[in-house]
Amino acid sequence: MSDELYKEIILEHWKDPHHYGILKKADIDVTEMNELCGDEIRVMVKLNQGKIEGFSFVVRGCSIAKAGGSILSDLVIGKKILDVKKITPEKFLKEIGVEFTPARTKCALLAYSTLQKAI
Amino acid sequence: MAQTNFNPLKIKKDFPIFKNNPGIVYLDSTASSQKPQIVIDAVTNYYEKYYAPIHRGLYGLAQKSTDMYENARQKVAKFINAENEEIVFTGNASEAINLSAYGWARKFLKKGDVIVLTEMEHHSNIIPWIMIKKKCGVELFYLPYDKDLRLDYKKLFSSKIDLKRIKLVTITHASNVLGTINPVKEIIRYYKNKGIKAKFLVDGAQSIPHIKIDVKDIDCDFFAFSSHKMLGPSGVGVLYAKKEILEEMDPLFFGGQMIKIVTKESATWADIPARFEVGTGRKEAVIGLGAAVDYLEKTGLKNIEKHENELTKYGLKLFKKFEKYIDLYGPKTPENRLSVFSFNFKDIHAHDSADILNRSKVCVRSGHHCAQVLMKCLDVIATARASLYLYNTKEDLDKLGSAFEEVIKIFKLQ
């Protein structure tokens, strides 16, 4: 049995997600759904001079979706919006470093797609 | 005649999917059942030996094809104790309920009327009535369930609903999420004795694969079900409705096959049930459904019920063993309960657990099960669901238990 999908990185971020919760006075506050499974994510972003100063998220979904949000938060905080826009889905998935099946790729990209759509 | 000795291992051999997928533990029959060889053969034989249009040609092969199709209708009618003309072939159970909604309710219901349904309905038995509410101005009243997740049908009488306004009561015979079997016969009798003069629709999609159905005994006005959940092919469902109701219903679709006389300006309708079966029928699926009925009758619904009840008891024990880790959404007692187990590992999303179970070749469904109203009542976004049928065994449940251990291990729940 392969534990590829549930590597330590996923489990750690699932148990203890980074930047999880409500961001007060956010400039961007969007909620998206993965209609395939009903998962729901809320992404909040604080902007300052073209940079992502703050990022937080709340998710009602699976471990992959939660880990995806957590890993994304570490990646984008402090970055220029223009640079964040340049991060392709492939690049982000590589950042997670786990092979996903097509169905679970959507979960992994839930936070990423929500952020990209919002900025 | 039904078999006297029911051997689940022998039954399993009737289903080639298990031979072709060694080690697979199929626990998703509530979504769709596997097919026995006899059904596959019926479809293949029909294509290879008897295929021709139905209800059209005068030549021998066309007549034979028509006979086979109508013979399947007779089998289905006999199977649920109905008359032949009371069996309308539709695309599936959802279409059958839509036919009742648009063919009957839309014609006869009006503003101020009430439709009673339940919180445990599949979307198929909710959304058509939401549409009728929009079009006719009727009100919807949802019956709740009690602490043991059984339908609290007497709750109707403590509501403020004027019983005279109730024109339709539509209830699932068995919940696709909870496994609860609703005592529809008792409910209908109870409501009628209380003076409710409504029509009664039973969504039988989940019950007919497992329980002997007698529509006259239940005394329902409509009974809807699907072939693919009861060992038959996909693409065909059935609406049973009492003859006098079908006679007054409007057709839903118009075109070939459903007419008597057509002129440039008008048309008259064929007799029932042809009036509701537009276009060429789903021949191979209907013939396959006939073979599925043969198989179920030969195996014996009583035997199936008994075997599945054993599985239910065994399954409930399994979930009891894991109750520290798993929440089970369904009655905790095996009476009037299908072998359907919706569950969640505490704090773990259904997709995660289903994904891990899949690695042990255990096939379960995860999601909202087309029952978002119920999910909301249960306060969950999704559940995983293991659902069993006649070909499942206690060993399958043991394998489910071993796969549970994997989830516990991977998510370090201990």
Side-chain angles (χ1 to χ4, degrees):
Chain A
M1 198 185 92
S2 119
D3 277 334
E4 172 61 25
L5 189 58
Y6 293 97
K7 276 185 174 167
E8 280 303 313
I9 180 167
I10 297 289
L11 294 173
E12 269 169 25
H13 282 276
W14 168 70
K15 272 227 154 112
D16 189 14
H18 305 170
H19 311 101
Y20 194 77
I22 308 293
L23 192 63
K24 280 181 190 154
K25 291 181 187 161
D27 299 300
I28 295 172
D29 188 340
V30 285
T31 301
E32 282 283 338
M33 265 191 92
N34 179 353
E35 63 281 0
L36 201 74
C37 52
D39 286 357
E40 202 180 273
I41 194 163
R42 183 174 162 198
V43 166
M44 290 142 280
V45 181
K46 220 180 235 176
L47 302 171
N48 190 8
Q49 297 181 333
K51 272 189 180 173
I52 293 184
E53 192 182 68
F55 175 102
S56 83
F57 76 106
V58 181
V59 69
R60 262 171 72 115
C62 65
S63 62
I64 312 282
K66 203 181 222 177
S70 180
I71 293 165
L72 181 73
S73 73
D74 292 342
L75 187 67
V76 298
I77 291 175
K79 275 211 168 72
K80 284 184 191 155
I81 295 176
L82 283 173
D83 292 335
V84 172
K85 279 187 179 171
K86 280 184 204 152
I87 304 171
T88 60
E90 294 75 23
K91 220 167 155 186
F92 178 61
L93 289 172
K94 220 171 157 192
E95 191 72 32
I96 304 179
V98 176
E99 287 277 331
F100 295 106
T101 57
R104 301 314 290 275
T105 304
K106 273 205 155 183
C107 307
L109 290 175
L110 185 59
Y112 167 87
S113 316
T114 307
L115 177 68
Q116 291 295 9
K117 225 163 131 184
I119 58 172
Chain B
M1 264 312 271
Q3 292 166 352
T4 45
N5 291 326
F6 181 92
N7 179 352
L9 292 175
K10 228 174 113 193
I11 294 279
K12 215 163 202 164
K13 289 202 173 109
D14 292 339
F15 292 77
I17 193 94
F18 297 113
K19 194 180 80 196
N20 295 322
N21 294 273
I24 200 159
V25 180
Y26 188 75
L27 302 179
D28 199 17
S29 297
T30 289
S32 201
S33 75
Q34 297 296 344
K35 318 300 169 201
Q37 190 68 53
I38 175 178
V39 168
I40 299 165
D41 288 347
V43 175
T44 313
N45 275 337
Y46 173 65
Y47 273 138
E48 289 178 354
K49 296 179 190 157
Y50 307 107
Y51 189 84
I54 51 169
H55 303 130
R56 305 277 194 280
L58 294 174
Y59 50 92
L61 203 56
Q63 192 53 53
K64 173 73 185 165
S65 184
T66 305
D67 289 348
M68 287 174 77
Y69 183 86
E70 289 303 326
N71 187 31
R73 191 193 305 275
Q74 276 176 30
K75 282 180 189 175
V76 171
K78 197 169 145 259
F79 189 58
I80 63 167
N81 193 23
E83 310 302 321
N84 290 348
E85 65 262 41
E86 292 173 326
I87 301 298
V88 178
F89 288 125
T90 62
N92 45 43
S94 302
E95 252 185 56
I97 296 173
N98 273 279
L99 177 55
S100 325
Y102 284 89
W104 179 82
R106 196 178 175 187
K107 185 171 178 186
F108 294 107
L109 300 195
K110 54 188 188 309
K111 198 173 178 344
D113 290 342
V114 174
I115 296 176
V116 173
L117 56 170
T118 85
E119 285 178 345
M120 59 174 88
E121 296 309 314
H122 187 280
H123 292 162
S124 296
N125 200 23
I126 294 179
I127 300 161
W129 310 116
I130 291 176
M131 298 309 292
I132 293 300
K133 180 186 170 179
K134 282 187 181 166
K135 289 187 193 307
C136 308
V138 302
E139 282 171 43
L140 304 181
F141 179 84
Y142 287 84
L143 291 167
Y145 51 82
D146 64 19
K147 271 187 231 143
D148 194 34
L149 299 149
R150 310 262 181 194
L151 188 64
D152 190 358
Y153 62 92
K154 290 180 183 164
K155 200 82 179 175
L156 183 62
F157 303 100
S158 54
S159 74
K160 289 193 178 99
I161 297 280
D162 175 5
L163 300 183
K164 283 192 222 84
R165 289 167 55 208
I166 300 170
K167 294 293 156 62
L168 177 72
V169 178
T170 180
I171 293 178
T172 186
H173 200 174
S175 161
N176 68 318
V177 176
L178 308 171
T180 308
I181 298 173
N182 293 319
V184 285
K185 181 183 165 181
E186 281 73 17
I187 296 170
I188 293 172
R189 194 190 297 159
Y190 189 84
Y191 280 6
K192 282 188 173 173
N193 284 339
K194 289 275 183 184
I196 294 174
K197 289 192 170 61
K199 296 280 184 276
F200 291 87
L201 188 152
V202 175
D203 175 357
Q206 295 302 342
S207 62
I208 198 165
H210 311 280
I211 310 170
K212 178 70 193 150
I213 301 297
D214 182 331
V215 288
K216 289 203 173 76
D217 188 47
I218 293 172
D219 196 20
C220 54
D221 298 283
F222 303 93
F223 191 93
F225 58 98
S226 239
S227 158
H228 75 104
K229 293 185 199 288
M230 55 183 292
L231 312 180
S234 301
V236 65
V238 173
L239 177 68
Y240 155 82
K242 281 180 180 163
K243 200 177 160 185
E244 60 271 26
I245 294 174
L246 284 178
E247 291 285 7
E248 61 183 19
M249 265 168 62
D250 281 338
L252 194 55
F253 299 111
F254 305 88
Q257 171 66 14
M258 51 78 64
I259 49 83
K260 243 180 204 153
I261 298 161
V262 181
T263 68
K264 276 185 177 170
E265 305 298 337
S266 68
T268 57
W269 311 144
D271 293 335
I272 62 165
R275 189 183 302 171
F276 304 102
E277 295 178 356
V278 73
T280 292
R282 303 156 174 96
K283 306 179 280 295
E284 55 279 54
V286 165
I287 285 159
L289 171 60
V293 165
D294 286 342
Y295 184 85
L296 287 170
E297 287 200 319
K298 193 188 88 197
T299 310
L301 262 307
K302 280 272 167 245
N303 291 331
I304 295 170
E305 227 179 295
K306 204 173 140 218
H307 168 64
E308 289 181 10
N309 195 250
E310 286 298 316
L311 293 175
T312 305
K313 285 180 195 159
Y314 198 76
L316 287 172
K317 271 188 210 153
L318 177 78
F319 280 94
K320 179 89 186 150
K321 196 179 133 197
F322 284 95
E323 70 181 349
K324 195 178 140 199
Y325 307 104
I326 299 175
D327 291 322
L328 176 67
Y329 307 98
K332 304 290 187 289
T333 49
E335 298 78 33
N336 282 322
R337 191 195 195 294
L338 294 180
S339 212
V340 171
F341 306 98
S342 282
F343 62 93
N344 272 331
F345 280 83
K346 295 182 203 300
D347 301 325
I348 293 178
H349 193 277
H351 288 313
D352 286 321
S353 44
D355 210 325
I356 294 169
L357 297 183
N358 176 47
R359 296 156 188 222
S360 306
K361 293 189 176 180
V362 176
C363 314
V364 300
R365 167 89 181 268
S366 57
H368 54 59
H369 314 291
C370 301
Q372 286 183 15
V373 170
L374 180 58
M375 293 288 121
K376 184 101 181 153
C377 294
L378 294 170
D379 195 28
V380 292
I381 44 171
T383 73
R385 180 189 65 195
S387 57
L388 286 76
Y389 201 7
L390 76 167
Y391 36 66
N392 289 115
T393 58
K394 287 181 180 171
E395 287 69 39
D396 290 338
L397 284 167
D398 289 339
K399 284 180 188 163
L400 177 67
S402 308
F404 283 167
E405 302 280 3
E406 288 298 326
V407 178
I408 292 167
K409 208 170 88 191
I410 289 177
F411 278 93
K412 302 187 178 77
L413 298 179
Q414 261 159 349

